[in-house]
Amino acid sequence: MSKDLAPGKNRSIGSKDPDHAARVFRKWTYIPQLVVFDLDFTMWFPAMDELHNEKIAKDPVTGDVTDAIGWHVHFYPEIHSVLSVLKTDPQFRNTKIGVASRTEEIETAKKVLGLMDVTLRGEDGVGVAKKTLGDIADFVTVFPGSKTTHFKLLKEQSGIEFEDMLFNDDEMENVHDVSALGVVCSHCPEGLTVASWLQGMEDFQLAKQQQSA
């Protein structure tokens, strides 16, 4: 059975920034203690409710994750570079990674988290490891409802204050709601990119400077 696809969403597997892997490593004065990512159309596509989820499987050779009719789940292409910074740059050695998703397809999302491989590389471009997104995430909050509920739970689970978090989401509604808690938010309507990540980190620097003034 065919499913309706969410309109106006970026479904490109190609990067528009050929130099993104080189630009992503930068020195920062302030480092967030918790970096949180939305899933659908921020980290990957299609959305979990667009999949035919009777059978979600991972090819043992290629690592491709597909649904019952062969639709692929794709990471946005610059995801690997952003997560490589978080997992290999010593500046972020104490930073935790969280997931906050409002999907109603809870079990599907959790399964895909455990299947999708992230290729981690150091600043020199040399491969370090390949891990699933589920293995990389320290905190996973996947359930319907307002993102403010997710963040209150993340604060409780992590012990980290809202002002020390950075959130990445493609939906402006979520950005607006979570910003009201005091979390620095990065809007990434085309999915997470190195450019949106760097802008979020710049905004985090500014917020910390204002707090210190």
Side-chain angles (χ1 to χ4, degrees):
M1 181 183 297
S2 62
K3 291 196 173 187
D4 293 333
L5 300 183
K9 297 294 187 179
N10 179 23
R11 299 174 188 268
S12 173
I13 60 173
S15 172
K16 298 177 182 178
D17 180 3
D19 298 322
H20 69 270
R23 296 193 308 111
V24 72
F25 285 89
R26 282 178 50 181
K27 298 298 182 185
W28 303 101
T29 302
Y30 301 100
I31 302 294
Q33 295 180 32
L34 176 63
V35 177
V36 184
F37 300 96
D38 172 49
L39 292 177
D40 291 348
F41 301 115
T42 296
M43 298 294 277
W44 63 38
F45 67 93
M48 294 297 95
D49 61 4
E50 294 177 337
L51 292 175
H52 300 75
N53 56 14
E54 300 86 358
K55 180 183 178 183
I56 306 291
K58 179 178 183 177
D59 187 295
V61 177
T62 65
D64 292 345
V65 176
T66 55
D67 71 358
I69 65 168
W71 282 8
H72 285 70
V73 182
H74 297 282
F75 276 134
Y76 285 105
E78 299 178 24
I79 295 296
H80 305 274
S81 294
V82 173
L83 291 175
S84 289
V85 168
L86 288 170
K87 297 304 293 183
T88 70
D89 188 336
Q91 293 181 103
F92 293 90
R93 60 184 173 275
N94 295 320
T95 298
K96 301 298 184 182
I97 296 174
V99 166
S101 171
R102 295 171 54 191
T103 184
E104 295 184 355
E105 300 294 336
I106 299 171
E107 294 308 314
T108 300
K110 289 182 176 180
K111 183 170 185 178
V112 175
L113 276 168
L115 295 176
M116 293 289 285
D117 287 328
V118 179
T119 301
L120 303 174
R121 293 185 174 89
E123 188 171 3
D124 57 5
V126 176
V128 175
K130 184 173 285 189
K131 295 184 177 181
T132 68
L133 185 54
D135 287 336
I136 289 172
D138 298 290
F139 304 101
V140 175
T141 56
V142 179
F143 50 83
S146 170
K147 280 285 173 76
T148 58
T149 306
H150 295 71
F151 271 81
K152 289 174 182 177
L153 180 58
L154 286 168
K155 179 181 178 182
E156 179 182 330
Q157 291 177 341
S158 68
I160 296 171
E161 298 297 325
F162 291 137
E163 65 187 32
D164 293 315
M165 300 180 186
L166 174 61
F167 179 44
N168 304 267
D169 198 299
D170 69 298
E171 294 284 351
M172 184 55 78
E173 176 187 355
N174 296 330
V175 168
H176 179 270
D177 290 347
V178 176
S179 293
L181 296 174
V183 177
V184 175
C185 296
S186 175
H187 184 219
C188 40
E190 297 297 308
L192 184 70
T193 63
V194 166
S196 68
W197 160 256
L198 293 175
Q199 184 60 59
M201 283 297 295
E202 292 283 4
D203 292 343
F204 189 82
Q205 307 306 297
L206 180 59
K208 282 299 182 184
Q209 290 168 8
Q210 292 174 342
Q211 291 167 17
S212 301

